């Protein structure tokens, strides 16, 4: 019988009379129904599955989901079969979905978004405790109960027990690519962290009306999830550190449920966000180190790695280009929302560390320790690689040119128009400093530095220059580690992201972490970075985002 035909007279399992179709998705059709045995309204989800083996597995997993008891998880009343088709009987939540609300009323403010996020963290915690992964956390699967505002996570129809594969025998999985984590796109076994990535994307959607990875094509979505810069929307305001932590591409660096709950709970209660554990910390007993993965298109011999947490070595891994190609083939053939891809790098940007012989751009007396010991000269960002990967003298910087009109500065920042021919937003109180090649804007305590370097474009482009600098990193930065260089884009232009940790200027200050983005534009290569102590990465990343979002180069 047709799944879309009127079902007023259909009674399944001898008691559930199907009445009105409430919605349909890739995994099933949801009906308003009436439980004739208990005399109550219910929701019935008719699963759209293939063979008997798939149906049996879905029923088994649905019964596991039924054991999850939490006020923000939809209540599963029954799991039945009718005409060899599985059905899940659930509580009927009167009210539309979060997706409906965003369509009708527009984006939410930070307070309401935090409330919803906190509720969903509780739901995911309960599911994960039972060993169940949701795997499709998105606004359409979040119900908003009318009258009470209760947040309900529903549609565990494609949930899987933790540890099971996320790929079907056909090489595809069903889900929503714009909310799917990089590791799931890789086709690897995914853990609870994958649901937390989806939650981070959902919070962005709540604040703006759409996923940060929304693109016009599936290929564009894949590229956005794996490679593109991830910068939380300006509307996120105080929630930016939480969203950043959830959208860490390395699952081992992603915020856990508890780590995200604490600041969101404080914000919902007090209206302010406390400090929180930051991505980039060393893995602990509950956060094992994750293997690094090379981006698509790179050979196994290329030194392209996932950024590791401090204290953990980065390890080159073979590329997984075949997985991405297979995903696109599956989509083209089946027409389903099926994807396999790669685990990419966190593309929030990176920054350049000190260069031996160059004065530290800090008002504090701390000196760059690398300048005190013999080492190879620093590889300038415009260097070109040879067989021995040596540095070449930088070309003279182009004559200063006035930039186009500067973009508005976010709260707490001011726009500066630099005499070197660019404009950007820097935090209030940061002071300008220079050396022979670079411009710095330095925090009052000297701990955080925003750096900008403008040079003529070179044949190797930003990616080649960053790779040369990365190769020379151990010579230029004592304790150089957790380093990675990945290709990306900036405002639609080819770019490269470089990230690393090093020992820092002084033992008292401790290690520093650097985020650096370089790109070519109008015949010049622009290099923008932020460097800060590892304990102040939230500030550093906010400053990095503000600098990149507001940066206007010379015309």
């Amino acid at each position: 019988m047709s799944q879309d035909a009127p079902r007023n007279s259909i009674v399944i399992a001898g008691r559930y009379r199907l009445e009105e179709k409430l919605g349909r998705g890739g995994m099933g059709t949801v009906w308003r129904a009436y439980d004739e045995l208990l005399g109550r309204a219910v929701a019935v989800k008719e699963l759209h599955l293939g063979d008997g083996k798939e149906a049996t597995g879905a029923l088994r997993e649905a019964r596991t989901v039924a054991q999850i008891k939490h006020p923000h998880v939809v209540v599963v009343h029954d799991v039945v079969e009718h005409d060899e088709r599985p059905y899940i009987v659930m509580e009927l939540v009167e009210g539309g979905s979060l997706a409906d609300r965003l369509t009708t009323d527009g984006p939410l403010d930070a307070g309401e978004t935090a409330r919803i996020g906190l509720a969903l963290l509780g739901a995911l915690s309960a599911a994960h405790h039972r060993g169940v992964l949701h795997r499709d956390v998105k606004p359409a699967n979040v119900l908003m109960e009318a009258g009470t505002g209760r947040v309900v996570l529903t549609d565990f129809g494609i949930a899987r027990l933790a540890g099971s594969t996320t790929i079907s025998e056909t090489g595809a999985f069903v889900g929503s690519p714009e909310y799917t984590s990089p590791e799931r796109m890789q086709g690897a076994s995914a853990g609870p962290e994958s649901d937390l990535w989806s939650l981070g994307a959902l919070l962005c959607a709540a604040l703006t009306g759409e996923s940060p990875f929304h693109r016009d094509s599936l290929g564009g979505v894949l590229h956005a999830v794996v490679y593109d810069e991830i910068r939380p929307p300006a509307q996120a305001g105080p929630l930016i550190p939480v969203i950043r932590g959830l959208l860490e591409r390395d699952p081992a660096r992603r915020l856990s449920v508890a780590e995200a709950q604490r600041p969101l709970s404080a914000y919902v209660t007090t209206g302010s966000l406390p400090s929180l554990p930051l991505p980039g910390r060393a893995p602990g007993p509950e956060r094992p180190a994750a293997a690094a993965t090379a981006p698509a298109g790179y050979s196994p011999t290329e030194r392209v790695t996932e950024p590791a947490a401090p204290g953990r070595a980065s390890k080159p891994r073979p590329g997984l280009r075949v997985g991405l190609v297979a995903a696109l083939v599956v989509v083209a053939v089946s027409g389903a929302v099926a994807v396999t891809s790669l685990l990419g790098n966190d593309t929030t940007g990176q920054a350049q560390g000190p260069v031996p012989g160059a004065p530290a751009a800090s008002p504090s007396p701390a000196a760059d320790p690398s300048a005190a010991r013999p080492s190879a000269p620093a590889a300038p960002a415009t260097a070109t690689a040879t067989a021995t990967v040596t540095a070449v003298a930088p070309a003279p910087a182009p004559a200063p040119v006035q930039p186009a009109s500067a973009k508005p500065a976010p709260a707490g920042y001011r726009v500066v128009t630099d005499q070197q021919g660019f404009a950007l937003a820097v935090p209030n109180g940061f002071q300008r400093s220079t050396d022979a090649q670079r411009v710095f804007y330095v925090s009052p305590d000297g701990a955080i530095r925003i750096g900008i370097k403008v040079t003529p474009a070179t044949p190797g482009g930003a990616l080649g220059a960053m790779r040369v600098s990365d190769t020379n990193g151990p010579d230029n930065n004592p304790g150089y580690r957790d380093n990675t260089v990945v290709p990306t884009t900036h405002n639609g232009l080819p770019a490269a992201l470089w990230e690393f940790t090093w020992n820092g200027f002084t033992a008292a200050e401790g290690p520093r972490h650097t985020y650096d983005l370089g790109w070519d534009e109008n015949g010049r290569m622009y290099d923008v970075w932020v460097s800060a102590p590892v304990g102040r990465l939230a500030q550093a990343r906010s400053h990095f985002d503000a600098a990149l979002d507001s940066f206007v180069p010379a015309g």
Side-chain angles (χ1 to χ4, degrees):
M1 63 193 158
S2 170
Q3 295 171 355
D4 294 327
R7 301 278 188 105
N8 292 350
S9 60
I10 300 298
V11 177
I12 64 170
R15 62 184 285 190
Y16 303 110
R17 182 176 299 278
L18 304 186
E19 297 177 339
E20 174 190 359
K21 185 173 70 173
L22 298 177
R24 176 171 178 166
M27 286 299 295
T29 300
V30 179
W31 302 87
R32 178 189 296 270
Y34 186 75
D35 182 350
E36 296 183 334
L37 178 62
L38 297 181
R40 62 181 178 182
V42 295
V44 174
K45 181 168 185 178
E46 174 187 2
L47 297 181
H48 302 163
L49 299 173
D51 57 25
K53 179 180 178 182
E54 208 172 39
T56 300
L59 288 174
R60 182 181 65 251
E61 291 153 7
R63 292 185 180 105
T64 302
V65 172
Q67 299 174 25
I68 302 172
K69 306 299 181 185
H70 191 274
H72 298 298
V73 174
V74 68
V75 177
V76 176
H77 295 312
D78 202 356
V79 179
V80 299
E81 288 184 82
H82 182 80
D83 289 341
E84 299 183 348
R85 185 180 298 276
Y87 292 80
I88 300 175
V89 182
M90 303 170 287
E91 67 169 314
L92 179 64
V93 179
E94 297 286 359
S97 68
L98 175 58
D100 297 331
R101 179 171 173 181
L102 294 175
T103 300
T104 302
D105 302 330
L108 311 179
D109 60 24
E112 178 67 354
T113 298
R115 183 186 76 86
I116 292 171
L118 189 61
L120 294 178
L121 283 168
L124 291 175
S125 178
H128 295 166
H129 182 71
R130 285 281 184 178
V132 175
L133 310 181
H134 188 282
R135 304 200 319 158
D136 199 22
V137 177
K138 61 183 180 182
N141 288 338
V142 176
L143 302 180
M144 310 293 292
E145 190 171 56
T148 68
R150 175 182 167 225
V151 177
V152 183
L153 181 60
T154 187
D155 205 357
F156 282 79
I158 64 168
R160 292 291 183 270
L161 303 184
S164 65
T165 181
T166 61
I167 299 297
S168 71
E169 292 180 0
T170 63
F173 65 79
V174 179
S176 304
E178 293 177 21
Y179 296 92
T180 299
S181 67
E183 62 271 22
R184 282 199 58 223
M185 285 191 169
Q186 179 183 328
S189 179
E193 299 85 1
S194 63
D195 283 342
L196 295 171
W197 167 283
S198 302
L199 177 60
L202 180 145
L203 295 180
C204 290
L207 292 160
T208 66
E210 67 178 17
S211 163
F213 307 107
H214 176 74
R215 300 294 187 272
D216 292 335
S217 67
L218 178 58
V221 173
L222 295 175
H223 189 277
V225 171
V226 175
Y227 287 122
D228 282 355
E229 299 168 61
I230 302 175
R231 298 207 296 273
Q235 297 92 321
L239 303 185
I240 284 179
V242 175
I243 292 175
R244 277 211 169 283
L246 294 172
L247 292 181
E248 280 286 342
R249 283 194 170 100
D250 183 348
R253 295 156 58 94
R254 204 169 294 155
L255 290 182
S256 68
V257 167
E259 289 166 343
Q261 279 177 324
R262 284 190 291 269
L264 286 185
S265 178
Y267 186 77
V268 169
T269 303
T270 67
S272 62
L273 198 71
S275 60
L276 71 162
L278 295 168
R281 61 207 175 284
E286 297 180 346
R287 187 175 295 279
T293 306
Y298 288 86
S299 69
T301 59
E302 288 186 277
R303 192 171 186 269
V304 181
T305 61
E306 182 75 3
R312 185 183 71 202
S314 296
K315 300 178 182 179
R317 286 286 302 274
L320 293 171
R321 186 169 188 167
V322 173
L324 180 57
V325 174
L328 296 177
V329 171
V330 167
V331 172
V333 173
S334 67
V337 187
V339 288
T340 55
S341 185
L342 317 170
L343 175 59
N345 177 38
D346 176 71
T347 53
T348 51
Q350 304 127 354
Q352 183 161 330
V355 175
S362 168
S364 69
D368 180 353
S370 64
R373 64 184 181 90
S375 66
T382 55
T384 56
T386 68
T388 56
V389 195
T390 58
V392 299
V401 181
Q402 286 300 314
S405 299
K407 299 177 182 178
Y413 293 77
R414 72 185 192 280
V415 172
V416 297
T417 300
D418 197 275
Q419 65 191 45
Q420 293 298 317
F422 56 83
L424 79 165
V426 300
N428 293 333
F430 276 48
Q431 297 298 313
R432 187 179 189 271
S433 176
T434 63
D435 64 14
Q437 301 178 25
R438 303 167 294 180
V439 175
F440 300 95
Y441 286 88
V442 187
S443 63
D445 62 0
I448 301 180
R449 306 197 305 169
I450 302 171
I452 307 95
K453 184 175 181 180
V454 184
T455 57
T458 61
L463 181 60
M466 293 293 190
R467 285 177 174 169
V468 171
S469 296
D470 176 59
T471 300
N472 291 333
D475 294 326
N476 301 328
N477 303 91
Y480 185 76
R481 59 192 182 272
D482 305 332
N483 50 299
T484 184
V485 176
V486 296
T488 184
T489 59
H490 177 68
N491 293 335
L493 299 170
L497 288 165
W498 180 25
E499 182 176 358
F500 63 89
T501 301
W502 62 291
N503 288 348
F505 293 112
T506 66
E509 180 189 63
R512 295 178 68 84
H513 198 76
T514 299
Y515 306 95
D516 192 342
L517 176 70
W519 73 96
D520 289 344
E521 187 170 358
N522 298 329
R524 297 175 175 83
M525 191 181 91
Y526 293 92
D527 191 5
V528 178
W529 67 92
V530 174
S531 175
V534 295
R536 297 177 66 177
L537 292 188
Q539 291 173 277
R541 300 181 96 166
S542 294
H543 299 338
F544 187 71
D545 285 346
L548 291 176
D549 288 341
S550 62
F551 192 90
V552 178

